[in-house]
Amino acid sequence: MNPRWIKETTAVIKEATKTAGIYSSFDYMGDAASFQTEAFFAGYGAENEAKLLSISRKYDPNRLFQTLMPGGFKIGA
């Protein structure tokens, strides 16, 4: 698929749902594209995002997974 088409179509859908009053900032991680990584976890809500970050920092205090693991979505990376 054409990456430009995907970005443009995603932007059109986002604006259409905002206009219709049905927009949600949540992106399902399994379907999200790499260009959607900015503030990805914000769609989970501030409380859940903070909890995920807390768990990440508890079990990976040196942030090895967040910094050394390639690809995917990482919280607070």
Side-chain angles (χ1 to χ4, degrees):
M1 282 217 149
N2 181 335
R4 192 174 113 225
W5 178 86
I6 295 170
K7 286 182 181 181
E8 290 172 356
T9 302
T10 301
V12 168
I13 292 169
K14 181 178 179 178
E15 289 307 311
T17 56
K18 283 183 176 183
T19 300
I22 57 172
Y23 174 75
S24 171
S25 62
F26 177 78
D27 290 317
Y28 174 62
M29 190 180 291
D31 291 336
S34 61
F35 66 87
Q36 294 172 302
T37 59
E38 186 177 316
F40 176 81
F41 289 96
Y44 286 77
E47 185 178 328
N48 289 327
E49 182 178 13
K51 183 175 181 178
L52 289 169
L53 185 57
S54 171
I55 292 167
S56 171
R57 293 210 168 132
K58 177 180 179 180
Y59 293 101
D60 185 16
N62 295 321
R63 313 294 289 148
L64 294 175
F65 178 80
Q66 303 300 319
T67 56
L68 299 178
M69 184 71 177
F73 298 99
K74 293 155 186 96
I75 188 149

